[in-house]
Amino acid sequence: MVWKHDKVSGADGKARCGWVSEDPLYQKYHDREWGRPLKDDRALFELLTLEGCQAGLSWITVLRKREHYRKVYDGFDPKKIARYSPAKLEKLLEDPGIIRHRGKIEASVGNARAYLAIIERDGPRGFSKFLWSFVGGKPKKNRPKTLKDVPARTPESDAMSKALQKAGFKFVGSTICYAFMQASGMVDDHVAGCHSVRE
C-alpha cells in the first residue's frame, strides 16, 4: 500500500485514509472491504493471491482488474487453479486483463496447492484459523494517528510470511503479508479521523 496523505474526502464529504484517491472504486473498497474482518477460506485465498499480484504495483491497479481475475481464475477456486495446465498458464500470460507476470501466475498455482494441503490437514476454515492465529484470532485495532504511524511490516507479518513460505507459498513477503492483514481486517489501520473509525 502506498501511503500519501493523512485523509482525503470524496464527493460525499467523508474523510478517508489518505491512500484512498478520489476514484469511486477505491473509495467503495475502502468503505466496504478494507479493514473489515474476513474469515472465509476462499475469500482469504483470493485476497492473498491478489496481494501477491500487487507486488511492485499500486493496489488500485489490481482492484481495477479484480473482476477479470475472478473470471479467468475460475472464481479463485483453489481446486481448479491447482490443476492449471502449462497451456492455461500461457493463456493467462497473454491476457491483458490481468498482470502478466510469469512468476506471479505460476505462484498462484503453487499457492493453490499449498492452500489445499492446509485444508486437507486442518479441515474447513483451516486456512482462516491458520492465518488469524498470527493476531490471536481477533482483529488488532492499532488506530494510528497519521499514515506515518502505519508500519510496512510487523513481527506478526514477519511470522506469517515465514509460516506461509514454509507451507509452500510464494510472493508472501512480510510487506505483502502486512498489506494482506490490513485488507482482511486482521489489523485495523484506519487512521484517526477516518469515517470508518466511527462506523
Side-chain angles (χ1 to χ4, degrees):
M1 193 70 68
V2 178
W3 304 92
K4 294 181 180 180
H5 310 292
D6 286 348
K7 290 187 288 292
V8 62
S9 294
D12 56 8
K14 291 183 177 180
R16 296 178 173 88
C17 299
W19 53 266
V20 187
S21 68
E22 296 288 344
D23 188 314
L25 178 64
Y26 224 5
Q27 293 183 359
K28 180 180 177 181
Y29 171 74
H30 167 274
D31 293 355
R32 300 184 184 180
E33 296 183 59
W34 193 79
R36 296 182 184 271
L38 183 65
K39 294 197 173 184
D40 177 77
D41 280 343
R42 192 212 55 78
L44 286 166
F45 171 73
E46 173 184 320
L47 181 58
L48 186 62
T49 301
L50 292 174
E51 288 288 357
C53 292
Q54 183 247 339
L57 303 168
S58 65
W59 180 244
I60 189 62
T61 299
V62 176
L63 199 58
R64 287 171 179 154
K65 295 176 180 288
R66 183 167 65 171
E67 288 307 315
H68 190 68
Y69 263 106
R70 287 172 173 167
K71 179 180 177 181
V72 299
Y73 268 75
D74 295 291
F76 283 95
D77 183 333
K79 291 182 179 178
K80 292 182 179 179
I81 296 174
R83 297 195 300 267
Y84 280 177
S85 66
K88 171 67 173 180
L89 297 185
E90 290 303 318
K91 186 176 180 180
L92 288 172
L93 276 167
E94 296 172 1
D95 192 330
I98 67 171
I99 295 162
R100 293 179 286 180
H101 183 288
R102 182 178 293 276
K104 293 176 181 179
I105 292 172
E106 291 178 346
S108 66
V109 177
N111 290 355
R113 293 170 181 164
Y115 164 92
L116 291 174
I118 290 175
I119 295 299
E120 183 177 351
R121 182 190 70 200
D122 299 335
R125 297 197 57 164
F127 192 56
S128 176
K129 291 175 184 176
F130 169 71
L131 294 170
W132 277 85
S133 69
F134 295 97
V135 290
K138 60 182 181 180
K140 181 179 180 182
K141 296 189 177 183
N142 294 326
R143 200 60 63 235
K145 292 182 179 180
T146 71
L147 296 181
K148 293 180 180 179
D149 299 318
V150 180
R153 58 191 289 179
T154 62
E156 291 86 356
S157 69
D158 289 347
M160 178 185 286
S161 174
K162 289 179 181 178
L164 283 169
Q165 290 179 53
K166 186 177 180 180
F169 288 81
K170 293 183 179 178
F171 283 92
V172 287
S174 186
T175 300
I176 289 174
C177 283
Y178 193 65
F180 168 74
M181 293 170 84
Q182 292 172 307
S184 63
M186 293 177 193
V187 294
D188 182 349
D189 276 340
H190 284 288
V191 298
C194 172
H195 80 91
S196 291
V197 174
R198 295 190 298 276
E199 293 177 358

